[in-house]
Amino acid sequence: MENSIISYIYKHGSGILIISLLIITGLIFARLAKKIKLPQITGYILAGIIIGDPFLHLISKGNFKGFQSINLIALGLMSITIGAHLNFHKLKNSGKRVISVLVFESILTYIFVFSAIYFIGGSLLYSQDIFFVMLISSIAIATAPAATVATVKEIKAKGLVVNTMMPVVAMNNVLCIVLFGIFSIVYSKAGIFTIVDLFSSFGKELSISIALGLIAGFLLKFFAEKNINSSGHVLTLVFLTVLTTTGLSQLFNINSMLPCMFIGIVITNTSS
């Protein structure tokens, strides 16, 4: 490996070259996955495994940090898509189903992860700090949106399952952000906190996220309607909105997913 091209790229290659190799490898494996009737996201995941640490080692911990901005932008675009499935008119019919799935899934996940870490892991590997376990367990509630969104878009899926699944994914991640924010405050205060502490810390972050998402959503809708006949301009506006919202989220030190979800919510509920 030391004298190979892979080793040279790994040690001296630029981030742009590595990105191009990622895209090329991803496209090749996506096509192969499609040939055997699998979702293309399967090929992308396999390409990542091959080009990453398990095999070719092109992506190290060091150069992975350089891709954080790209990850945030991609996550922002997916968050808008997920938020766009929270149509309040449609939720009138499926609301009970969505809420029941959300509650059942979230509670069971939290209980299983909490029990595993606190009762099993606590005695073997971790300290039995209940507030730390509560914080870690809240992360397990989150649903990774990438594979879900990619598969639904690729096969143009519609119907009862999709109408239930996409709102659940959106609300699931919102719930995770809320619980993580609350438990992080509880953990930092070592369990000694007041309602005022929660509202002053997490309430501020939640308020900024909602305000930022609503403002960005209405501005995007306004300017997109002005350029409705130019799909290129609309795509540029969407990308610019995600960039700006993500950048402002970092500036205010808040999670960028929540504002982007609210952009999607605004668009889907105010568009005719």
Side-chain angles (χ1 to χ4, degrees):
M1 168 114 179
E2 286 298 320
N3 298 319
S4 67
I5 297 175
I6 296 298
S7 176
Y8 183 84
I9 294 174
Y10 173 71
K11 291 180 179 179
H12 307 289
S14 67
I16 295 175
L17 179 58
I18 293 175
I19 289 173
S20 69
L21 288 171
L22 279 170
I23 294 172
I24 292 169
T25 310
L27 289 174
I28 291 172
F29 278 89
R31 293 290 293 179
L32 291 174
K34 194 173 182 179
K35 289 284 186 184
I36 57 175
K37 307 299 182 183
L38 289 175
Q40 293 187 59
I41 189 69
T42 309
Y44 295 140
I45 293 171
L46 185 58
I49 293 171
I50 290 174
I51 209 168
D53 274 341
F55 293 98
L56 300 183
H57 307 284
L58 283 181
I59 303 298
S60 65
K61 291 181 180 179
N63 56 35
F64 181 77
K65 292 180 180 178
F67 302 145
Q68 287 293 82
S69 296
I70 297 174
N71 292 338
L72 288 172
I73 293 168
L75 195 60
L77 290 167
M78 285 185 287
S79 297
I80 290 179
T81 302
I82 292 171
H85 282 81
L86 284 175
N87 187 297
F88 298 140
H89 178 72
K90 292 181 179 178
L91 284 175
K92 287 180 181 179
N93 299 322
S94 60
K96 290 182 180 179
R97 186 171 61 250
V98 169
I99 295 298
S100 61
V101 172
L102 173 69
V103 171
F104 186 75
E105 175 201 18
S106 301
I107 290 176
L108 278 184
T109 301
Y110 189 88
I111 290 173
F112 284 142
V113 175
F114 181 91
S115 301
I117 297 177
Y118 188 73
F119 295 108
I120 301 174
S123 59
L124 298 176
L125 301 172
Y126 310 100
S127 62
Q128 287 183 305
D129 184 339
I130 191 168
F131 301 116
F132 175 73
V133 177
M134 288 167 65
L135 179 65
I136 296 300
S137 300
S138 66
I139 300 173
I141 295 175
T143 301
T148 305
V149 173
T151 304
V152 169
K153 288 289 184 183
E154 180 184 345
I155 64 176
K156 297 181 175 62
K158 294 180 181 180
L160 183 64
V161 173
V162 174
N163 292 338
T164 303
M165 177 178 61
M166 295 302 286
V168 167
V169 170
M171 296 171 71
N172 184 274
N173 283 286
V174 171
L175 180 62
C176 175
I177 294 169
V178 171
L179 288 179
F180 183 81
I182 292 173
F183 289 138
S184 62
I185 296 169
V186 173
Y187 177 65
S188 65
K189 301 285 185 180
I192 304 172
F193 64 96
T194 64
I195 298 299
V196 175
D197 292 327
L198 291 178
F199 276 103
S200 62
S201 298
F202 182 68
K204 181 181 177 182
E205 177 179 345
L206 190 61
S207 300
I208 294 172
S209 297
I210 294 173
L212 183 57
L214 292 178
I215 293 170
F218 281 110
L219 285 174
L220 174 59
K221 179 179 181 294
F222 175 78
F223 287 107
E225 286 178 346
K226 296 285 185 181
N227 298 273
I228 194 67
N229 295 321
S230 175
S231 58
H233 286 166
V234 173
L235 287 173
T236 302
L237 286 169
V238 172
F239 192 71
L240 180 61
T241 303
V242 171
L243 283 176
T244 306
T245 304
T246 302
L248 288 173
S249 297
Q250 289 182 308
L251 182 65
F252 291 121
N253 195 29
I254 61 176
N255 190 299
S256 61
M257 280 187 68
L258 204 52
C260 290
M261 279 188 193
F262 273 98
I263 293 173
I265 291 171
V266 168
I267 297 299
T268 193
N269 286 283
T270 58
S271 301
S272 55

